[in-house]
Amino acid sequence: MEIFRQITANNIALKDYPFLKELAMEAYLMENEDILKLDTENFAEVTVLDAEIALRGGRKTSNRDGRIDILAKYGLDYLALIELKINEINEFSLNQLEDYLDERHQILTKYPEFWSEVENSPNWVGVLVGSSISPELQRKLQDGYTTKEGIPIAGMILRRFRSANNEIFVITDTFFKYNYTSRDFSKFEFKEEIYNKARLVNKVVRTYVEENPTISFAELEKVFPQSLQGSNGVFDTKEKAQEIYDRTGHKRHYLKSDELIKLSDSIIATSNQWGLDNITRFIHHINNLNNDYSIENK
């Protein structure tokens, strides 16, 4: 079984610092949404959209209403229902999540702004998060478990620690066997390296700028029209991208120092908002732009 593991602690003496309530876990994950990424491919760019969303008839086994802990978006292709447990995730947790997924249509009916891609319907994924996992659920997830409607389910073990200096460290083990196919457009080869959607765009733009070091923001827009991405644009200035993040709390651009790209008149941040439709447009444009910039779906 493949386990996607993130470890954010170095050689530091740590003590367990568990969440005492699900609401505390929920608040922490909303403030640190990158922890919820499931892999390095289709599910690496995560944005938390909302929390505590009521669902009528969401608990079928007990004939009660339910409440989604967290609603998130992975890239531009997937919406995720995330169910949190401060203890073990198990068969009962899975049944509860599946009940919620059965009523997922209520979300877009009540909150249509959560899915702006009017030309297609979202793909869905379910995520269970807890401090441990039952052997039965682990076996299901290692076999690539999906619901009756084909919705993939992921399980995440979340452990939190605190250092003597009150620094917080998190270790996650994610159990998620997803069967990638060419239609997922999850992996791309550019200049003999493999990238996911958003990382591909960052690399292509960076490569072009390195080959044309005097290029300006306006000139780069002519090479990579902002319409290729859609409403957010392929890239924006570092300042504008940071303002969007500060205002919304959502990372819509790559903002780390090694992700930014320096032009002759500005520093830019590329968008991380790429789905099947706009990445197809981008690749078609690039493949016609320069023979040396051939991109292949892997």
Side-chain angles (χ1 to χ4, degrees):
M1 175 182 180
E2 295 182 1
I3 301 176
F4 177 61
R5 173 171 289 166
Q6 302 179 78
I7 302 177
T8 55
N10 294 317
N11 188 22
I12 301 172
L14 302 174
K15 292 185 178 180
D16 280 316
Y17 185 44
F19 295 98
L20 300 181
K21 294 183 178 180
E22 288 178 10
L23 284 177
M25 179 188 287
E26 179 183 293
Y28 185 79
L29 289 173
M30 291 182 70
E31 293 176 358
N32 301 274
E33 57 191 10
D34 283 349
I35 292 174
L36 291 168
K37 64 182 181 181
L38 303 178
D39 61 14
T40 58
E41 296 169 357
N42 271 8
F43 302 90
E45 310 296 338
V46 56
T47 300
V48 170
L49 299 176
D50 206 348
E52 297 298 309
I53 300 176
L55 284 183
R56 289 180 288 102
R59 301 295 299 276
K60 292 182 173 56
T61 53
S62 55
N63 196 29
R64 293 188 291 119
D65 294 337
R67 188 173 296 273
I68 299 169
D69 290 326
I70 293 177
L71 177 71
K73 195 173 188 178
Y74 288 97
L76 289 185
D77 293 328
Y78 295 86
L79 288 179
L81 301 191
I82 301 175
E83 177 64 23
L84 308 179
K85 302 294 181 187
I86 59 172
N87 297 312
E88 181 186 80
I89 52 175
N90 49 37
E91 291 289 312
F92 179 82
S93 312
L94 178 61
N95 291 337
Q96 182 179 345
L97 179 59
E98 291 196 66
D99 281 350
Y100 291 164
L101 285 167
D102 285 344
E103 298 298 326
R104 64 191 182 279
H105 64 276
Q106 293 184 36
I107 298 172
L108 297 186
T109 300
K110 191 174 182 180
Y111 304 101
E113 66 274 16
F114 288 154
W115 188 257
S116 59
E117 309 302 310
V118 295
E119 69 274 13
N120 59 62
S121 299
N123 295 310
W124 292 85
V125 59
V127 183
L128 292 167
V129 181
S131 59
S132 63
I133 184 171
S134 71
E136 294 79 12
L137 180 59
Q138 182 173 334
R139 281 194 292 270
K140 280 191 173 183
L141 298 182
Q142 83 173 35
D143 291 334
Y145 182 80
T146 64
T147 69
K148 292 179 180 179
E149 294 183 279
I151 298 173
I153 302 294
M156 178 182 292
I157 298 174
L158 176 65
R159 298 186 64 195
R160 190 173 64 159
F161 302 87
R162 184 164 59 183
S163 72
N165 296 324
N166 287 323
E167 297 171 305
I168 305 300
F169 298 86
V170 171
I171 297 176
T172 64
D173 286 340
T174 300
F175 303 85
F176 187 47
K177 184 178 180 182
Y178 185 73
N179 295 318
Y180 290 99
T181 65
S182 59
R183 71 177 295 275
D184 297 310
F185 274 67
S186 56
K187 296 180 181 180
F188 303 91
E189 182 176 329
F190 175 66
K191 292 189 177 295
E192 300 183 347
E193 297 289 336
I194 304 298
Y195 303 93
N196 68 15
K197 300 181 189 74
R199 293 293 178 184
L200 170 73
V201 174
N202 184 270
K203 181 60 178 180
V204 171
V205 175
R206 181 182 303 279
T207 300
Y208 190 88
V209 171
E210 289 172 351
E211 294 174 356
N212 299 271
T214 63
I215 197 166
S216 68
F217 187 96
E219 291 169 335
L220 193 64
E221 278 190 311
K222 293 179 181 178
V223 179
F224 300 98
Q226 303 288 31
S227 59
L228 291 175
Q229 192 280 334
S231 59
N232 293 317
V234 176
F235 57 86
D236 216 324
T237 64
K238 171 187 173 183
E239 293 77 15
K240 180 64 179 300
Q242 185 66 51
E243 185 275 327
I244 292 173
Y245 175 60
D246 293 341
R247 173 167 47 84
T248 66
H250 299 320
K251 296 178 182 177
R252 304 191 186 281
H253 299 81
Y254 287 124
L255 285 167
K256 294 181 181 178
S257 58
D258 61 342
E259 297 168 338
L260 298 171
I261 301 171
K262 186 175 181 3
L263 307 183
S264 63
D265 59 352
S266 60
I267 297 176
I268 62 170
T270 59
S271 172
N272 60 21
Q273 302 292 292
W274 295 91
L276 178 58
D277 290 334
N278 58 7
I279 199 64
T280 302
R281 287 197 302 270
F282 181 85
I283 291 172
H284 179 75
H285 174 76
I286 296 305
N287 284 340
N288 288 308
L289 176 70
N290 188 320
N291 289 334
D292 294 333
Y293 277 37
S294 176
I295 299 171
E296 295 183 7
N297 180 222
K298 302 302 290 182

